[in-house]
């Protein structure tokens, strides 16, 4: 199966960075199935270069996020999943951008996986590409007027909870991701030897998406194959386990104006804004755990989840606070 290198950026609101210093050299920590390499100032993996050092408290937050995703998954990975993490300046992506992730992809003509998702869910080892990572995650160093909350304590008003954001980011690497490409208005494309590529299928996530008319995405199709409307607001996730638990089709974020990095890959904010994989976060908000509904959606995407998702309390978010975008 060929490798893919399409970037899949996930961004969050920019916030003020906590100052901290640690040794200026890469540090690799093993957190269960993940090998996470932290890149300090000047360290590079050939694709990105670190612009700020990591503290032990920040690395502990990453560990907590990694173990949260392992708490209910019983799949045996084919090898360790390689994650590279950086602090870096991200203002070039626009105001309010805190961070993003990019995963290599693999496809077989019918389905596309993010590499970490493939290694863990399918239990196979396709080897590593030349950069040596499956997913890279970067966090902004300049911020946008707020403060990070690092560590296990709950975030105060005016701070953004780092653990919540890292946990969210891991979720995208594990399959909360779409093949839809707004620039080319198509589904299922994957680069093999950049700039060349072909259509290799849909992600497991894509296969569970449906619009209000019952239309679905098609690999190799445009943004509206068979009248599928990616700006239906919302689109729905119709996996059997999620629908049984939620009691209806699960609404997915799809505003009328397509929002790159946010549209089609998050739960709908207005209905499910208090869950981990929603697209917005409020200052002082803490969402560090995967909900029963999100575990059910993982099961619908082919993961083995234990114990079985059984119950969930769904509430509308009503924090009375300014909510900040995370993609």
């Amino acid at each position: 199966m060929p490798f893919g290198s399409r970037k899949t950026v996930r961004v969050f609101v920019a916030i003020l960075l906590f100052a901290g210093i640690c040794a200026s050299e890469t540090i690799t920590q093993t957190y269960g199935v993940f090998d996470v390499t932290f890149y300090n100032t000047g360290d590079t993996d050939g694709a990105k270069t670190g612009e700020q050092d990591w503290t032990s408290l920040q690395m502990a937050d990453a560990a907590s996020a990694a173990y949260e995703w392992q708490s209910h998954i019983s799949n045996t990975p084919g090898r360790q999943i390689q994650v590279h993490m950086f602090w870096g300046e991200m203002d070039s992506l626009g105001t309010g951008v805190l961070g993003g992730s990019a995963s290599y992809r693999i496809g077989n003509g019918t389905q596309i996986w993010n590499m970490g998702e493939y290694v863990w869910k399918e239990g196979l080892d396709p080897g590593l590409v030349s950069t040596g990572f499956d997913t890279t995650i970067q966090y902004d160093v300049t911020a946008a007027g707020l403060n990070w909350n690092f560590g296990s304590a709950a975030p105060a008003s005016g701070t953004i909870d780092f653990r919540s954001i890292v946990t969210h980011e891991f979720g995208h690497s594990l399959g909360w991701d779409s093949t839809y490409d707004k620039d080319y208005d198509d589904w299922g494309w994957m680069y093999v030897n950049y700039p060349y590529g072909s259509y290799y299928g849909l992600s497991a996530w894509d296969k569970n998406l449906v619009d209000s008319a019952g239309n679905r995405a098609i690999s190799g199709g445009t943004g509206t194959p068979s009248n599928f409307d990616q700006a239906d607001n919302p689109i729905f996730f119709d996996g059997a386990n999620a629908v049984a638990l939620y009691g209806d089709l699960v609404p997915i974020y799809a505003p009328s104006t397509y929002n790159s990095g946010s549209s089609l890959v998050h739960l709908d904010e207005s209905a499910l804004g208090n869950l981990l994989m929603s697209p917005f976060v409020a200052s002082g908000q803490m969402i560090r755990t995967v909900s029963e509904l999100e575990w059910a959606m993982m099961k619908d995407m082919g993961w083995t989840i234990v114990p079985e998702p059984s119950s969930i309390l769904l509430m509308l978010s009503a924090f009375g606070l300014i909510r900040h975008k995370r993609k």
Side-chain angles (χ1 to χ4, degrees):
M1 297 181 183
F3 294 104
S5 58
R6 170 173 291 192
K7 291 184 178 178
T8 310
V9 177
R10 300 287 168 249
V11 296
F12 300 90
V13 59
I15 59 178
L16 186 61
L17 184 66
F18 175 84
I21 299 175
C22 58
S24 183
E25 59 182 12
T26 59
I27 301 171
T28 299
Q29 302 284 356
T30 296
Y31 307 131
V33 304
F34 296 100
D35 286 346
V36 180
T37 300
F38 299 93
Y39 285 76
N40 290 304
T41 304
D43 298 330
T44 182
D45 65 358
K48 290 186 180 296
T49 300
E51 297 177 26
Q52 182 163 293
D53 293 343
W54 287 83
T55 69
S56 58
L57 196 60
Q58 294 161 4
M59 290 188 287
D61 289 339
S64 175
Y67 284 122
E68 169 60 21
W69 282 103
Q70 296 174 72
S71 63
H72 287 69
I73 294 175
S74 65
N75 299 66
T76 300
R79 59 163 169 77
Q80 290 292 106
I81 301 168
Q82 304 299 314
V83 179
H84 291 186
M85 286 194 180
F86 298 82
W87 290 108
E89 177 56 65
M90 303 187 73
D91 286 352
S92 62
L93 296 178
T95 58
V97 175
L98 172 62
S101 69
S103 293
Y104 283 99
R105 285 177 165 174
I106 190 168
N108 63 5
T110 301
Q111 183 164 332
I112 289 175
W113 297 259
N114 283 350
M115 193 66 76
E117 174 194 15
Y118 181 79
V119 168
W120 193 2
K121 186 166 68 178
E122 306 304 330
L124 299 172
D125 179 6
L128 278 169
V129 293
S130 59
T131 55
F133 64 82
D134 300 310
T135 294
T136 181
I137 304 175
Q138 182 174 330
Y139 304 94
D140 187 57
V141 298
T142 55
L146 296 177
N147 291 290
W148 282 110
N149 175 74
F150 295 120
S152 59
S157 177
T159 68
I160 299 295
D161 189 53
F162 187 62
R163 286 194 182 196
S164 298
I165 292 177
V166 180
T167 308
H168 177 107
E169 201 66 79
F170 269 110
H172 285 304
S173 74
L174 297 177
W176 289 70
D177 201 4
S178 176
T179 66
Y180 181 69
D181 189 330
K182 180 61 168 60
D183 291 339
Y184 295 92
D185 192 33
D186 64 2
W187 301 76
W189 179 270
M190 190 180 77
Y191 291 113
V192 180
N193 296 307
Y194 189 82
Y196 306 106
S198 187
Y199 294 101
Y200 283 86
L202 299 174
S203 66
W205 172 268
D206 289 336
K207 293 178 180 181
N208 284 283
L209 297 183
V210 62
D211 71 6
S212 59
N215 302 304
R216 296 182 177 279
I218 298 173
S219 177
T222 64
T224 55
S226 301
N227 296 314
F228 182 95
D229 185 1
Q230 81 275 1
D232 203 26
N233 196 26
I235 295 296
F236 299 95
F237 186 99
D238 72 345
N241 292 285
V243 169
L245 192 59
Y246 186 65
D248 203 346
L249 298 175
V250 179
I252 300 301
Y253 183 68
S256 55
T257 299
Y258 185 85
N259 191 341
S260 182
S262 291
S263 292
L264 296 178
V265 293
H266 293 93
L267 298 169
D268 183 59
E269 178 67 21
S270 62
L272 300 167
N274 65 314
L275 299 187
L276 177 68
M277 298 306 295
S278 69
F280 294 85
V281 65
S283 68
Q285 186 179 18
M286 183 172 69
I287 316 175
R288 299 175 177 176
T289 59
V290 183
S291 70
E292 291 280 345
L293 177 59
E294 289 158 321
W295 285 127
M297 295 170 77
M298 291 285 281
K299 185 175 176 64
D300 288 325
M301 287 188 280
W303 292 90
T304 303
I305 305 300
V306 291
E308 293 282 337
S310 58
S311 63
I312 186 168
L313 177 62
L314 299 178
M315 300 165 53
L316 292 178
S317 295
F319 297 94
L321 300 170
I322 297 174
R323 300 186 65 78
H324 305 278
K325 182 172 67 175
R326 58 181 183 182
K327 294 184 180 179

